[in-house]
Amino acid sequence: ITSTNVSLSCISEMRDKLRKWREENYRNSEQIVDVGEELLNEHASKLGDDIWIIYEQVMIAALDCSRDDLAWSCLQELKRQFPDSHRVKRLAGMRLEALERYEDANKLYDSILQDDPTNTAARKRKISILRAQGKSSEAIRELNEYLEQFVGDQEAWHELSELYINEHDYAKAAFCLEELMMTNPHNHLYCEQYAEVKYTQGGLENLELARKYFAQALKLNNRNMRALFGLYMSASHIAASPKVSAKVKKDNMKYGAWAASQISRAYQMAGRGKKENKCSVKAVEEMLESMQITMS
Amino acid sequence: MGEVELSCLAYAKMYLHASQFPRCSVNGLLLSSSPAGGDVCITDCVPLLHTHLSLAPITQLALTQVDAWCSQTHQRIMGYYQANACVSDSSPTPCALKIAEKIFEQCNNAVLLMIDGEKMFPGCRVPPIVMYERKDARWALKDKHTIMLRQWEETCAIVNQLFSSGDQALLVDFDSHLDDITKDWTNQKLNAKIMELISPANGNV
């Protein structure tokens, strides 16, 4: 194997990593900068047309790591190659945001929108600026307006649910998550988040809904620990409520007991051979024991 | 209220927690191993969440588990810390006040600690923290001079050392534990590293 072949496979490994992170939308910016900077500095000629999307990916990661030097040089390459591109203009705007020059960033996005009022990327950047400035109610208002037009934008629905959760507006957060569950019925995370919101809203009806959706999340992914604990806690609270019928109490004690045994098993397996987990295993066992007492 | 001492261990882990999730609000519990009624010393902390701080189930779960662990290890929960995602605003959120309130019900010299993100830059001379105590049925700003951080310079040096050695990545919060339950939210490994750096045998103190 000649040295050129070895470096070629290395290069393709690095490219694959970057592609995977791009496709899965990971925000592991330090790693992206690490791998991407080396690729761009040492092996740019071997990247073919991929180089432009890599410049974009590395630039955004560089902004995340306060590497304005790297972000600037990536931006320059992209500007040179795509002089009138809205996509590149948006990247320039993101750099201004990173420098907290929000007014200048907004001007840039407004000029994109004047040219192309349907440019969703620019609209979403403007909403991100509102968020960064702590203007939550305005961000919520703009996001709602945006979703009236672009009702299928999953990312936007999720962003809105997060904003509502931060504002303690659980009913509206639940509504957003319902939209997401409808369009993504196999996504266990949306089910589990919805259940958490319902649990937080409280009251018997919401607890029962919470339990159902924690169970659904587990059906979709039986290793979701939050869903497992959530099922345990909601079932236990329902069983302990003086307002429920004997049958409901019995059923929920059954669900709670099942969840408890699953939790116990999961922690036993996790703790095997690892002395440092002793503490968390013990804490869980004590919790399960103490809740048994309150339930009966 | 009197003096509150903040240990190097507690400070370092809070700082690491906030640094590990720069785009999120993070929170955690402050613990004390000193007897109730004596001088107040925050000897340790447990980093809790970096997502959905204001949702109930995981917070409740974490409080219960930390409580259980505390009784096993002769510690008590005596405070709460939070660092807001929006760095320019370090005021306590409704969620922070709620949890601090709950802690106060069990501990009458509970403190609420907000991390001031704007002061978290290398070379900053002032501890990036703002502390609140219970006064006249509300949370009032605590006089800076009653907050003791012994050996502040050494503490800063230790935090820097953790970053340069890469050990800051060892920090596990409760959220991360739920993503992978083989991770230890009591941070035994990281605690040991920090205690090693604090120990006089190292020539650091």
Side-chain angles (χ1 to χ4, degrees), chain A residues 15 21 61 110 115 123 133 135 140 148 157 159 176 183 194-195 203 215 219 231 236 248 257 262 268 279 291:
Chain A
R15 279 172 83 164
W21 295 332
D110 286 334
D115 239 13
R123 271 182 88 164
Q133 294 174 311
K135 299 181 178 165
I140 287 174
E148 276 169 29
W157 278 110
E159 183 78 6
C176 297
T183 46
Y194 180 75
K219 249 213 223 77
L231 174 57
S236 306
V248 170
Q262 296 294 104
Q268 291 304 326
C279 307
M291 284 191 90

Coordinates of all heavy atoms in Angstrom, one line a residue, chain A residues 15 21 61 110 115 123 133 135 140 148 157 159 176 183 194-195 203 215 219 231 236 248 257 262 268 279 291:
Chain A
R15 N -14.5 12.4 5.1 CA -15.6 12.9 4.3 C -16.9 12.2 4.8 O -18.0 12.8 4.9 CB -15.4 12.6 2.8 CG -14.6 13.6 2.1 CD -14.3 13.1 0.7 NE -15.4 13.4 -0.2 CZ -15.2 13.4 -1.5 NH1 -14.0 13.0 -2.1 NH2 -16.2 13.7 -2.3
W21 N -22.6 13.4 9.9 CA -23.0 14.4 10.8 C -23.9 15.4 10.2 O -24.9 15.9 10.8 CB -21.7 15.2 11.3 CG -20.8 14.3 12.2 CD1 -21.2 13.2 12.9 CD2 -19.4 14.4 12.3 NE1 -20.1 12.7 13.5 CE2 -19.0 13.4 13.2 CE3 -18.5 15.3 11.9 CZ2 -17.7 13.2 13.6 CZ3 -17.2 15.1 12.3 CH2 -16.8 14.1 13.1
A61 N -20.2 25.4 11.9 CA -19.5 24.8 13.1 C -18.5 25.8 13.7 O -18.4 25.9 14.9 CB -18.9 23.5 12.7
D110 N -33.6 40.8 5.6 CA -34.7 41.5 4.9 C -34.4 41.7 3.4 O -35.4 41.6 2.6 CB -34.8 42.9 5.6 CG -35.5 42.8 7.0 OD1 -36.3 41.8 7.2 OD2 -35.3 43.7 7.8
D115 N -36.1 40.2 -2.2 CA -35.9 39.5 -3.4 C -36.8 38.3 -3.6 O -37.3 37.9 -4.6 CB -34.4 39.0 -3.4 CG -33.7 39.6 -4.6 OD1 -34.2 40.5 -5.2 OD2 -32.6 39.1 -4.9
R123 N -36.5 33.8 7.0 CA -37.5 34.1 8.0 C -37.1 33.4 9.3 O -37.3 34.0 10.4 CB -38.8 33.5 7.5 CG -39.6 34.6 6.7 CD -40.9 34.1 6.3 NE -42.0 34.3 7.3 CZ -43.3 34.2 7.1 NH1 -43.7 33.9 5.9 NH2 -44.1 34.4 8.1
Q133 N -32.2 37.3 21.5 CA -32.3 38.6 22.2 C -33.3 38.4 23.4 O -33.5 39.4 24.1 CB -32.9 39.7 21.3 CG -31.9 40.0 20.2 CD -32.5 41.0 19.2 OE1 -33.6 40.8 18.7 NE2 -31.8 42.1 18.9
K135 N -36.4 37.8 23.3 CA -37.7 38.3 23.0 C -38.7 37.2 22.7 O -39.1 37.0 21.5 CB -37.7 39.3 21.8 CG -36.8 40.5 22.0 CD -36.8 41.4 20.9 CE -35.9 42.7 21.2 NZ -35.6 43.4 20.0
I140 N -42.5 33.9 19.5 CA -43.6 33.0 19.4 C -44.6 33.5 18.4 O -45.2 32.7 17.6 CB -44.3 32.9 20.8 CG1 -43.4 32.0 21.7 CG2 -45.7 32.3 20.7 CD1 -43.9 31.9 23.1
E148 N -48.5 29.4 9.9 CA -49.8 29.5 9.2 C -49.5 29.3 7.7 O -50.3 28.7 7.0 CB -50.5 30.8 9.4 CG -51.3 30.8 10.7 CD -51.7 32.3 11.1 OE1 -51.9 33.1 10.2 OE2 -51.9 32.5 12.3
W157 N -42.4 23.6 14.1 CA -43.4 23.1 15.2 C -42.6 22.8 16.4 O -43.1 23.1 17.5 CB -44.1 21.9 14.7 CG -45.3 22.3 13.8 CD1 -45.5 22.0 12.5 CD2 -46.5 22.9 14.2 NE1 -46.7 22.5 12.0 CE2 -47.3 23.1 13.1 CE3 -47.0 23.4 15.4 CZ2 -48.6 23.7 13.1 CZ3 -48.2 24.1 15.5 CH2 -49.0 24.2 14.3
E159 N -39.6 23.8 17.4 CA -39.1 25.1 18.0 C -40.2 25.8 18.8 O -40.0 26.3 19.9 CB -38.6 26.0 16.9 CG -37.9 27.2 17.3 CD -36.5 27.1 17.9 OE1 -36.0 25.9 17.8 OE2 -36.0 28.0 18.4
C176 N -48.7 21.8 19.8 CA -47.6 21.7 18.8 C -47.1 20.2 18.8 O -46.9 19.7 17.7 CB -46.4 22.5 19.2 SG -46.8 24.3 19.3
T183 N -47.9 13.8 12.4 CA -47.1 13.7 11.2 C -45.9 12.7 11.3 O -45.3 12.3 10.4 CB -46.6 15.0 10.7 OG1 -46.0 15.8 11.8 CG2 -47.7 15.8 10.1
Y194 N -44.6 14.8 24.8 CA -46.0 15.1 25.0 C -46.5 14.6 26.3 O -47.2 15.3 27.1 CB -46.9 14.5 23.9 CG -48.3 14.7 24.0 CD1 -48.9 16.0 23.6 CD2 -49.2 13.7 24.4 CE1 -50.2 16.2 23.6 CE2 -50.6 14.0 24.4 CZ -51.1 15.2 24.1 OH -52.4 15.4 24.1
A195 N -46.1 13.4 26.7 CA -46.5 12.8 28.0 C -45.9 13.7 29.1 O -46.6 13.9 30.1 CB -45.9 11.4 28.1
G203 N -53.4 16.8 37.3 CA -54.8 16.5 37.3 C -54.9 15.0 36.8 O -54.1 14.6 36.0
A215 N -46.4 5.1 27.7 CA -46.5 3.7 27.3 C -46.3 3.6 25.7 O -45.6 2.7 25.2 CB -47.8 3.1 27.7
K219 N -43.4 1.6 23.6 CA -43.7 0.7 22.5 C -42.9 1.0 21.3 O -42.4 0.0 20.6 CB -45.2 0.9 22.1 CG -46.1 -0.3 22.5 CD -47.1 -0.5 21.5 CE -48.5 -0.8 21.5 NZ -49.6 -0.1 21.7
L231 N -43.8 6.4 32.9 CA -44.9 5.5 33.1 C -45.0 5.1 34.6 O -46.1 5.1 35.1 CB -44.6 4.2 32.2 CG -45.5 3.0 32.4 CD1 -46.9 3.5 32.0 CD2 -45.1 1.9 31.4
S236 N -48.1 5.3 39.3 CA -48.0 5.3 40.7 C -48.9 6.5 41.3 O -49.6 6.3 42.3 CB -46.6 5.5 41.2 OG -45.8 4.6 40.7
V248 N -59.4 1.0 38.5 CA -58.4 1.9 38.0 C -57.1 1.8 38.9 O -56.0 1.7 38.4 CB -58.9 3.4 37.9 CG1 -57.7 4.3 37.6 CG2 -60.0 3.5 36.9
A257 N -46.0 -1.5 38.8 CA -45.2 -2.7 39.2 C -44.4 -3.1 38.0 O -43.2 -3.5 38.1 CB -46.0 -3.8 39.8
Q262 N -39.0 -3.3 35.3 CA -38.2 -3.0 34.1 C -37.1 -2.1 34.5 O -35.9 -2.2 34.0 CB -39.0 -2.4 33.0 CG -40.1 -3.3 32.4 CD -39.5 -4.4 31.7 OE1 -39.5 -5.6 32.2 NE2 -39.0 -4.2 30.5
Q268 N -29.9 -3.0 37.0 CA -29.0 -4.1 37.4 C -28.0 -4.4 36.3 O -26.8 -4.6 36.4 CB -29.8 -5.4 37.7 CG -30.6 -5.3 39.0 CD -29.8 -5.0 40.2 OE1 -28.7 -5.4 40.3 NE2 -30.4 -4.3 41.1
C279 N -23.9 3.9 43.3 CA -24.7 5.0 43.9 C -26.0 5.2 43.2 O -27.1 5.2 43.8 CB -23.9 6.3 43.8 SG -22.3 6.2 44.5
M291 N -41.8 4.6 47.0 CA -43.0 4.9 46.3 C -44.0 3.7 46.5 O -45.2 3.9 46.5 CB -42.8 5.2 44.8 CG -42.2 6.6 44.7 SD -42.2 7.1 43.0 CE -43.8 7.9 42.9

